[in-house]
Amino acid sequence: YDNTLLGAITTRIKIMSGMDISEKRKPQDGRITINVDGREYDIRVSNLPTVYGEKCVMRIASKEGFNIDKSKLGLTPADLKVFDDILKNPHGIILVTGPTGSGKTTTLHAQIGEVVKNADYEKIVVTIEDPVEIYNPNYCQVQIHETEDNATNFSSQKALQVILRQDPEIILYNEIRNKTDAETVIQAGATGHQVFTTLHANDCITAISRLLDLGVSKVSLLNQVNLISSQRLIGILCPHCQREYKLSESDKILLSKEEYNRLSTIDLKQVGTVEQRNNCPHCNHTGYINRIAIVEYVLFNDDLKDILYHTSSMKEIKEVLKKNKFISMWEKGLDYVVAGKTSLIELYNQIGNKDAINNLINNL
């Protein structure tokens, strides 16, 4: 294809997103705010130098979607009750895990908004973010600026040192990326603050393992962390172009015997054929309308604390979770498939092969 305009287009994007157009050797981040048909959109821009030129990636989100109520996150009534009870705890750490684009930041802001709304007095909320994704005039939001120059370097750790002296009730720490971040978050939780943060992990069980690998002691993990949740966003089937779906031989291999028998008795719905989707304006020819969050969570109750204190075996931890009625994202996703809200293919794509994940955990 013709790439003669690539440089000009990249430069224009960098100007719009507030980047330095003269800097072409280092990656940069920026943002663009646009208004389309009366709706405001936020565009996150990431620029990466490559041997073939600069690569730009833009993530588009409606600002209306950021200010979402906790009840609209897709949580079941039982999940909402658990989260409500946890959010009443005035100190400790709430950790949300998941891949990029799984809605972690939106979930955290919804949870913080719930705490602030139900408080008897005005809560002081301070966020440490890189970059600030959701602007809220009622919060004190800190933009991190990390450089190699000590004079201008403003890291997450430096920001937290200052913030702790100002005695906020709620702290949002954008993401745990390394051992230093993990230590910083544990320190904030130990000082009596309510800390909300994120971590990249496939699910709750691997999040526990990752925190231990990052050097978090078992004692700190058990005493400071109140809840770990993991989530994915799955597409909701378009009611106008969905079609009947019959289980295949590959489904029989991927599903357990119980799951296969359960689904075989249901009239499953599936995303429409290519011809159907192309002729469906309701879902913009995709087969799905909107998305919903599937959430699993681990509560650090006495049984889990006891087993964690004596072992780091993921297999034993998983067995304890099952005894405590832990419901995985996969199991919740199957309920959505049975209810006709989403498709089995979408569940495979977003959550993966459950059996493969289980085999991986069992072999740790």
Side-chain angles (χ1 to χ4, degrees), residues 223 288 309-310 333 341:
N223 291 337
Y288 298 94
Y309 188 79
H310 293 95
K341 291 183 179 179

Side-chain angles (χ1 to χ4, degrees), residues 102-153:
S102 59
K104 299 188 297 296
T105 303
T106 301
T107 296
L108 286 179
H109 276 266
Q111 291 174 346
I112 293 173
E114 184 74 11
V115 175
V116 172
K117 182 177 68 175
N118 295 328
D120 297 329
Y121 60 96
E122 185 177 354
K123 294 269 189 178
I124 300 175
V125 181
V126 181
T127 73
I128 304 173
E129 303 177 75
D130 184 24
V132 175
E133 293 187 72
I134 304 174
Y135 288 100
N136 190 317
N138 298 316
Y139 301 166
C140 176
Q141 297 180 280
V142 179
Q143 170 68 59
I144 299 306
H145 180 65
E146 295 189 0
T147 65
E148 296 178 0
D149 183 5
N150 289 331
T152 59
N153 182 42

Side-chain angles (χ1 to χ4, degrees), residues 12 18 25 33 42 66 103 119 143 147 150 209 213 218 224 226 239 253 266 283 332 355 361:
R12 179 58 184 159
R25 296 174 297 176
T33 299
D42 188 76
F66 286 146
Q143 170 68 59
T147 65
N150 289 331
S209 176
D213 289 341
K218 289 183 182 179
Q224 309 307 332
N226 294 334
I253 296 171
I266 305 294
C283 61
K332 289 186 178 181
D355 290 334
I361 293 172

